[in-house]
Amino acid sequence: MAALNSLLAPHSLASKTPRSFPTPLYPSFHYSLPRLSSPIKNARLHCHVSASSSAAEVVTEAEPDAAGEGEKFDWFAHWYPVAPICDLDKRRPHAKTVMGLDLVVWWDRTKGRWQVFDDRCPHRLAPLSEGRIDQWGRLQCVYHGWCFDGSGSCKYIPQAPDDGPPVHTFRKACASVYPSFEQNKILWFWPSTDPQCKDIAVKATPPYIEELDDPSYTSTMGMRDLPYGYEVLIENLMDPAHVPYAHHGIMRIPKSLTSRYTDSFTVNADREGGSPIDIRIETSNVNGFLAQRDIGYNKFIAPCVFYSAPHRLMSGNGSASSSDVQGGSALKTLQKPRRFLLIFMCIPVSPGRSRLIYVFPRNFAVWVDQVVPRWIFHVGQNLILDSDLYLLHVEERKFAKAGYSNWPKVCFVPTKSDAMVVAFRNWLRKYSNNQINWGTTSSEQLPPTPPREQLMDRYWSHVVQCSSCRDALKVLKALKLSLQIISIASVGIVAALNQSMISTITRTVVVSTAVICFLASKWLSVFIYKNFYYHDYDHAFR
């Protein structure tokens, strides 16, 4: 699933109030490490393997951090991404769920910004997301017609007489409003309707990614709802070792981006060619952790952002650092440094449900995304997500059955390739008691497993939420219908006309056209179904 994530590790993701980390030595390029918004205490990851007559047990723990002892992660005191701006339609409200909270997102044309409300009308709790934007730009509940402005104030109650008390001005008539913030072409929200949080953006902002606002970069975004939880989603993204196996046949990994161990493995032990991966956790605290790989860096910024970038691509200024020179690797300045990041935003939706927003900004081959439609990019990414979707769905249920606190006991993780997965589980254990705090939502019950076709559905999990895929589906359906009409019309013309009225060549051309159009419509029908509705993935035959 986290396919491309395995290739690289992180670069210049910075918060608004960054703190620098030391610059690592690398024999070819200067590399600027990412920065966290608050200091991180050094911690090392330990994996002790003890053999016994019954079983081999892996004990994983981080070194004690006196400064962070007893510190807990507050899940309701952070910004969460809701959706890419490009996939939000200003003409209608949108229903979203994040952290177990049902939201309605709508465009407030009076204030010229997106608003995020609690998705319930204060009248009878009908979902406001099923409503409409009225002619005055207000959010209207379609159950009884109550209307709200961007601040949540009720502006109109049709059932209230004009000569009666102004009940629409009462506090209980107001909709609940969440703070929202637009950054990096993504809408974020703060999961609290407390009036004290109204101006929270003045005090804290989401992690800022420079490249997503840089016009010299291309950054095509995608989003997918997934039938497994946030914890399993992040684990999968942090696990590069699964890529050649779970995504076999659909991903090609450039040799320049594989582990340095690969060169020493002249004879692969299996067809897929997996090899040791050296991952080291450098820093860790309540805000996340930083990991180093031989090909780059990875970084987790709690609770949502995980990103990767290689240091085999040139850094921003294209020059050698003093540490490089001291290490004996003075470099020539390149005119056009090439940079590439993999950015994943992992959103906890509800127990057993998560949402992924992914974007891979780069400053080379920018023309490709200007020529190739965005929906084609999504087709490939959805196939990658589908290829291990069922594995992760089943895996999560086994974790739940064993008990989330028993993760270190039921999982055997003896190699360095699992270092980030172990670090995340340690983070979750230390700062959040091994699970997400869902507030009033039960975290004990996972939704039942639906039929496979419903579990791996693409239409409701992606297409209806993606503006480019929705439009592409409409066009392809219209094209399929046109081909069918041409095929039927061509056969009808040949049948209606007397054989003496048209030549053999003309008849052959018309019949051939009918056959070609019919076959094309059939192929297009299969293409539409597999790429916009359901595409199974059978690992046994890959």
Side-chain angles (χ1 to χ4, degrees):
M1 196 214 75
L4 291 177
N5 172 34
S6 68
L7 308 184
L8 308 170
H11 179 33
S12 61
L13 177 59
S15 69
K16 293 293 187 179
T17 56
R19 174 182 182 269
S20 299
F21 281 86
T23 303
L25 292 178
Y26 185 72
S28 298
F29 302 119
H30 166 67
Y31 176 74
S32 299
L33 267 174
R35 297 168 289 183
L36 287 174
S37 57
S38 60
I40 285 185
K41 301 296 181 182
N42 289 331
R44 290 193 299 272
L45 186 71
H46 295 282
C47 292
H48 305 293
V49 182
S50 58
S52 66
S53 58
S54 59
E57 179 182 6
V58 178
V59 181
T60 57
E61 58 181 348
E63 281 190 347
D65 182 356
E69 199 65 37
E71 189 174 8
K72 293 300 178 183
F73 186 80
D74 187 349
W75 291 90
F76 290 89
H78 289 81
W79 289 98
Y80 289 84
V82 179
I85 297 296
C86 62
D87 289 327
L88 296 175
D89 188 342
K90 294 181 179 180
R91 300 170 298 174
R92 60 165 302 155
H94 301 267
K96 300 291 180 183
T97 301
V98 179
M99 282 297 296
L101 302 172
D102 293 325
L103 314 175
V104 56
V105 179
W106 65 285
W107 176 253
D108 179 8
R109 68 169 181 252
T110 302
K111 296 184 178 181
R113 55 166 297 176
W114 290 99
Q115 303 286 3
V116 179
F117 284 12
D118 187 5
D119 192 14
R120 58 179 178 176
C121 180
H123 177 214
R124 298 264 291 280
L125 308 187
L128 292 172
S129 57
E130 291 297 316
R132 64 175 68 95
I133 311 299
D134 71 7
Q135 60 267 42
W136 293 281
R138 303 173 301 192
L139 177 62
Q140 183 184 58
C141 175
V142 293
Y143 193 22
H144 292 92
W146 289 32
C147 297
F148 307 89
D149 66 10
S151 62
S153 299
C154 183
K155 308 305 292 184
Y156 179 55
I157 298 179
Q159 296 78 27
D162 294 338
D163 57 353
V167 292
H168 70 280
T169 63
F170 290 10
R171 184 178 62 84
K172 291 191 70 174
C174 295
S176 298
V177 183
Y178 291 100
S180 57
F181 192 80
E182 295 180 37
Q183 179 175 277
N184 289 145
K185 307 179 183 70
I186 293 173
L187 178 66
W188 302 70
F189 97 109
W190 187 273
S192 175
T193 57
D194 190 323
Q196 295 182 353
C197 296
K198 180 180 179 181
D199 299 318
I200 191 67
V202 176
K203 303 176 182 178
T205 57
Y208 180 69
I209 305 167
E210 299 175 7
E211 289 79 2
L212 296 184
D213 289 333
D214 190 331
S216 66
Y217 281 74
T218 181
S219 52
T220 302
M221 291 188 185
M223 182 172 64
R224 177 81 180 264
D225 283 356
L226 299 164
Y228 47 82
Y230 157 91
E231 304 97 312
V232 174
L233 171 60
I234 284 200
E235 275 190 10
N236 194 46
L237 292 167
M238 293 180 177
D239 172 26
H242 80 282
V243 174
Y245 300 94
H247 307 305
H248 178 72
I250 59 175
M251 287 200 61
R252 295 180 61 189
I253 305 175
K255 291 183 178 180
S256 60
L257 296 176
T258 55
S259 170
R260 61 184 173 84
Y261 288 102
T262 304
D263 296 336
S264 63
F265 279 66
T266 56
V267 179
N268 293 327
D270 55 32
R271 176 190 62 172
E272 293 79 10
S275 62
I277 301 174
D278 185 10
I279 301 176
R280 299 172 300 282
I281 305 302
E282 293 197 338
T283 56
S284 178
N285 77 351
V286 69
N287 297 313
F289 57 80
L290 182 67
Q292 180 182 6
R293 272 188 67 183
D294 50 348
I295 64 169
Y297 277 77
N298 294 76
K299 187 174 180 185
F300 168 54
I301 300 180
C304 295
V305 179
F306 178 70
Y307 74 99
S308 305
H311 48 214
R312 290 185 179 179
L313 299 178
M314 181 61 73
S315 63
N317 57 13
S319 60
S321 67
S322 58
S323 58
D324 288 331
V325 175
Q326 293 172 2
S329 58
L331 307 173
K332 296 181 179 180
T333 300
L334 299 180
Q335 296 297 322
K336 294 183 179 180
R338 293 158 61 94
R339 296 176 61 190
F340 178 48
L341 292 90
L342 300 175
I343 300 166
F344 302 97
M345 299 181 184
C346 307
I347 306 167
V349 172
S350 60
R353 302 285 179 183
S354 61
R355 182 175 301 119
L356 174 65
I357 297 177
Y358 54 87
V359 55
F360 311 137
R362 67 180 188 278
N363 64 351
F364 56 92
V366 174
W367 63 270
V368 173
D369 290 345
Q370 297 172 348
V371 174
V372 179
R374 178 173 172 240
W375 68 268
I376 293 181
F377 168 71
H378 289 173
V379 165
Q381 292 304 314
N382 278 327
L383 182 59
I384 293 173
L385 292 170
D386 283 337
S387 60
D388 57 10
L389 185 151
Y390 185 75
L391 305 176
L392 298 173
H393 177 85
V394 174
E395 176 184 278
E396 180 178 38
R397 274 137 186 82
K398 293 182 178 180
F399 286 153
K401 186 177 181 180
Y404 296 110
S405 61
N406 292 324
W407 189 94
K409 297 179 181 178
V410 299
C411 295
F412 182 53
V413 284
T415 68
K416 292 182 179 180
S417 65
D418 289 312
M420 282 188 288
V421 175
V422 174
F424 172 71
R425 284 292 175 175
N426 281 339
W427 178 88
L428 199 63
R429 170 187 55 79
K430 183 175 182 180
Y431 300 111
S432 192
N433 194 29
N434 291 304
Q435 60 187 346
I436 298 173
N437 175 16
W438 294 104
T440 58
T441 304
S442 172
S443 60
E444 300 298 324
Q445 296 294 326
L446 292 176
T449 298
R452 192 178 181 96
E453 188 168 347
Q454 184 180 342
L455 182 69
M456 301 179 70
D457 160 76
R458 285 193 186 180
Y459 182 75
W460 294 106
S461 66
H462 172 75
V463 175
V464 295
Q465 304 182 66
C466 174
S467 58
S468 60
C469 289
R470 284 198 310 268
D471 293 342
L473 180 58
K474 291 178 182 177
V475 172
L476 292 174
K477 281 185 172 181
L479 177 59
K480 183 183 73 171
L481 180 60
S482 300
L483 290 171
Q484 291 172 344
I485 292 173
I486 293 172
S487 178
I488 295 172
S490 300
V491 173
I493 291 172
V494 173
L497 294 177
N498 192 304
Q499 293 188 4
S500 61
M501 296 179 62
I502 57 175
S503 66
T504 303
I505 295 177
T506 303
R507 187 183 305 109
T508 302
V509 170
V510 174
V511 172
S512 299
T513 300
V515 172
I516 291 173
C517 288
F518 174 76
L519 294 176
S521 69
K522 287 296 183 182
W523 177 88
L524 194 56
S525 179
V526 174
F527 178 85
I528 290 172
Y529 182 73
K530 291 182 67 174
N531 291 289
F532 295 92
Y533 290 95
Y534 169 68
H535 189 143
D536 198 2
Y537 192 95
D538 191 342
H539 290 269
F541 297 100
R542 300 299 297 192

